[in-house]
Amino acid sequence: MTATVFDALDLRRADGAGPVAFGGVLGPEELLAAYRRGLFPLPAADEYAGAYNEALYGESVDAGEVALLPGAAAPYVLAWWSPDPRPVLRPDAVRLPRRLARRLRGAVEWWTTADRAFDEVLTGCAEGRQPVWLTAELRQALVGLKVRGAAHSVEVWEGGELIGGVFGVAVGPVLSLDSMFHRRPDAARVAVADLGARFAAVGGRLLDAQWDGPYVRSLGAVPMERSRYLAELAAAAPTGAWDGARLPVARLC
């Protein structure tokens, strides 16, 4: 594997509650290299947000507590995170509440696909989000990973309307959930459950929810120490080809 700027980062000493590094390049290869090392990007929306990052973390960078990666004229507009602990889920055990399962077995006619509307899912995940993190540069890099087979999406449909979705980046049997959205109640939850089922079917072992919180806990996420999470990544083996077929949501109940 080609050496990258992320190889020099010692995550054993990094603060799990703040950014690990700033700067670097946000291209497809760099993005995939970051995910392989247990990091994910959080770009600033503009130069003013970058200036805020510098004001907040500049002293930590100067002290060597947060790395400054080469390659960026304005490094503080791109932060790299690796939270500790990491909220993770077994892909075949995403929770659907009983009330939702009853609805899905009843009159609600929802369907799912995989990797059929990646760009549309990115758009849905960016709609109305503040602060803006899914920048044009990050979107371009993610599309590059989709072409390489590393980024995936699941789409939830009601008739011909896209009502929810989720996307993430896979490194072997670990898939990092980047974002989700819904235009109907619970459609995002269904998207995660469907993604988990499809990922488990090709040998996936772990879904990484990135940020801990009540919602991902309600899906079934539990905290995992970063050292163990990194060990899972280091032991990663390739998974099989995804099935993107149109499938009924009721099968998840």
Side-chain angles (χ1 to χ4, degrees):
M1 187 180 298
T2 305
T4 72
V5 296
F6 303 107
D7 295 338
L9 299 179
D10 186 358
L11 295 184
R12 294 172 300 177
R13 302 173 56 190
D15 181 6
V20 172
F22 287 100
V25 178
L26 192 55
E29 296 303 329
E30 292 81 8
L31 188 57
L32 185 56
Y35 278 95
R36 285 174 173 156
R37 290 297 310 277
L39 299 109
F40 57 85
L42 190 62
D46 51 41
E47 61 186 70
Y48 301 104
Y52 179 76
N53 281 340
E54 184 172 8
L56 198 60
Y57 297 107
E59 290 185 3
S60 296
V61 170
D62 293 340
E65 298 167 356
V66 177
L68 201 62
L69 304 178
Y76 286 96
V77 299
L78 178 57
W80 298 94
W81 290 73
S82 183
D84 187 16
R86 202 75 165 242
V88 299
L89 308 86
R90 289 205 332 269
D92 59 350
V94 179
R95 295 176 187 162
L96 292 178
R98 291 182 180 178
R99 55 154 182 89
L100 176 57
R102 287 195 297 269
R103 284 179 56 215
L104 298 177
R105 287 193 297 263
V108 174
E109 294 187 4
W110 288 0
W111 301 82
T112 64
T113 55
D115 295 335
R116 299 290 183 89
F118 188 80
D119 289 344
E120 291 88 340
V121 170
L122 292 186
T123 297
C125 289
E127 287 176 350
R129 300 289 177 90
Q130 293 295 331
V132 176
W133 65 273
L134 192 47
T135 61
E137 185 181 24
L138 178 54
R139 289 185 64 153
Q140 184 176 4
L142 287 165
V143 170
L145 290 189
K146 168 67 167 56
V147 172
R148 290 162 172 77
H152 298 277
S153 64
V154 159
E155 304 87 27
V156 183
W157 305 89
E158 186 174 273
E161 181 184 0
L162 181 65
I163 61 169
V166 62
F167 78 90
V169 176
V171 176
V174 178
L175 190 145
S176 190
L177 299 170
D178 281 282
S179 190
M180 63 193 80
F181 80 99
H182 68 272
R183 293 172 182 153
R184 297 283 191 281
D186 294 313
R189 186 184 294 271
V190 167
V192 175
D194 186 88
L195 180 145
R198 292 178 192 259
F199 190 49
V202 299
R205 292 200 310 260
L206 203 66
L207 297 180
D208 164 27
Q210 295 187 346
W211 304 105
D212 202 358
Y215 184 75
V216 297
R217 291 293 182 103
S218 75
L219 292 171
V222 296
M224 175 182 283
E225 291 185 358
R226 182 169 59 196
S227 59
R228 183 180 168 195
Y229 175 76
L230 295 176
E232 292 279 351
L233 285 176
T239 55
W242 282 54
D243 179 7
R246 183 175 182 264
L247 297 172
V249 167
R251 82 190 196 286
L252 301 171
C253 302

